[in-house]
Amino acid sequence: MNLYKQAADLIKKKSNIVAFTGAGISVESGIPDFRSSGGLWERFDPNEYAEYSAFLKWPEKFWTMHSELSEMVLTAEPNPAHLALATLESMGKLTTVITQNIDFLHQRAGSSRVLELHGTGETASCLSCEKQYDRVTVEKIRETAHVPRCTVCDGLIKPNVVLFSELPPVDVFEEARRALLKADLVIIIGSSLSVYPAAALPSVVSFANTPLIIINEEPTSMDNYANVVIQGKAGEIFPRIINALNENSNFN
Ligand code: APR
């Protein structure tokens, strides 16, 4: 039986699917991932541009990368892979999307329960007085200052994204771990599974004996646990599987 049919048959019987996504799911929306060739870390050294103590030392570097990335995020639209996950939720089959992404595309596609392991680019905080800002307000402040500072105390403003050597949101991680333990199927889409602790989360399937589907352009460390691995573009592969749920189409 071909891989698409195997994946569709697994999904057919499920009602508590949890998806785990990475930057690869947003590449077809025009947002580069991090580690593929041409990815973000080829152009910006994460130790200088996306690490917490480096942010405190050279905030202008982070904001230079942020300017380039936010251009792409603001013009990006959810692609068929994001939309297919929202469809699976509307069919009462998927309960949770756990994402490492900060691009808000799952929410814009219609997914209602999205656990953001690496925070969000939609809000920001002053690192001194903790005043909260929304993205639009920060962009307004940045019209006159490359490095935005707090309007109350002049402290450094930082988007609520998790930088390297920053503690990720423990409550979100715990909620994601519980969701994965209760899942009757896990689908991993577009992640190299190379950044911990996020990358450790999906391995709960191995001892919970949960069926696993992986859709990724390259092999991952979880492939040998998976029931189905389909290598290629998520925006092409995933919708084809979901369409198969609604009809008995033959896969060529
Ligand atoms: N369809 C499916 N998979 C894709 C596609 C696509 N169109 N394009 C790329 N991929 C795959 C790549 O082969 C790669 O394995 O998506 C994966 C993306 O891996 P990374 O770039 O490492 O992104 P991610 O796994 O999300 O990184 C995790 O690392 O730098 C941190 O905070 C950052 O959240 C990020 C974390």
Side-chain angles (χ1 to χ4, degrees):
M1 187 193 328
N2 85 8
L3 293 173
Y4 287 86
K5 179 103 180 51
Q6 280 178 46
D9 285 353
L10 267 179
I11 292 173
K12 263 189 193 118
K13 305 171 217 125
K14 300 293 188 293
S15 58
N16 189 1
I17 299 173
V18 172
F20 182 92
T21 70
I25 197 171
S26 297
V27 167
E28 289 154 273
S29 297
I31 303 174
D33 69 8
F34 296 94
R35 293 171 184 83
S36 296
S37 71
L40 217 61
W41 295 155
E42 235 175 49
R43 303 209 312 288
F44 297 103
D45 176 351
N47 297 314
E48 283 184 38
Y49 286 83
E51 194 276 337
Y52 188 70
S53 48
F55 178 87
L56 299 180
K57 250 188 301 207
W58 314 296
E60 66 282 2
K61 292 190 176 206
F62 168 86
W63 287 107
T64 298
M65 176 187 71
H66 180 278
S67 301
E68 189 174 310
L69 195 54
S70 48
E71 267 298 294
M72 300 176 207
V73 172
L74 292 181
T75 50
E77 290 298 328
N79 68 56
H82 296 104
L83 297 169
L85 283 173
T87 303
L88 215 44
E89 177 185 328
S90 63
M91 292 165 74
K93 293 185 158 303
L94 179 133
T95 56
T96 310
V97 174
I98 299 168
T99 189
Q100 301 168 91
N101 302 340
I102 58 166
D103 56 30
F104 211 66
L105 288 178
H106 285 301
Q107 292 90 334
R108 287 178 55 202
S111 291
S112 60
R113 186 180 186 222
V114 181
L115 301 179
E116 295 170 305
L117 300 177
H118 291 163
T120 176
E122 291 299 297
T123 55
S125 312
C126 168
L127 296 184
S128 306
C129 70
E130 296 185 358
K131 174 175 166 46
Q132 291 301 300
Y133 291 84
D134 63 39
R135 177 176 47 75
V136 175
T137 307
V138 175
E139 287 315 321
K140 199 109 197 78
I141 299 174
R142 294 200 64 223
E143 282 169 6
T144 51
H146 178 61
V147 176
R149 301 192 81 94
C150 180
T151 53
V152 170
C153 74
D154 201 38
L156 275 178
I157 294 176
K158 175 186 152 304
N160 291 333
V161 297
V162 179
L163 297 182
F164 287 107
S165 27
E166 253 193 302
L167 253 186
V170 180
D171 53 338
V172 177
F173 264 72
E174 185 45 27
E175 197 179 340
R177 195 183 66 82
R178 280 200 303 270
L180 284 165
L181 281 172
K182 285 194 299 205
D184 54 14
L185 172 65
V186 173
I187 306 178
I188 298 176
I189 307 179
S191 180
S192 62
L193 298 178
S194 55
V195 173
Y196 288 80
L201 279 174
S203 57
V204 300
V205 299
S206 49
F207 50 79
N209 236 340
T210 315
L212 172 63
I213 297 171
I214 298 178
I215 300 170
N216 203 56
E217 264 200 331
E218 64 184 7
T220 77
S221 56
M222 290 289 298
D223 286 1
N224 43 2
Y225 288 114
N227 300 64
V228 180
V229 176
I230 307 181
Q231 282 188 7
K233 297 198 176 311
E236 293 163 11
I237 294 168
F238 199 42
R240 273 185 63 188
I241 298 172
I242 305 307
N243 292 342
L245 297 175
N246 305 323
E247 78 233 12
N248 288 325
S249 63
N250 300 319
F251 291 92
N252 42 33

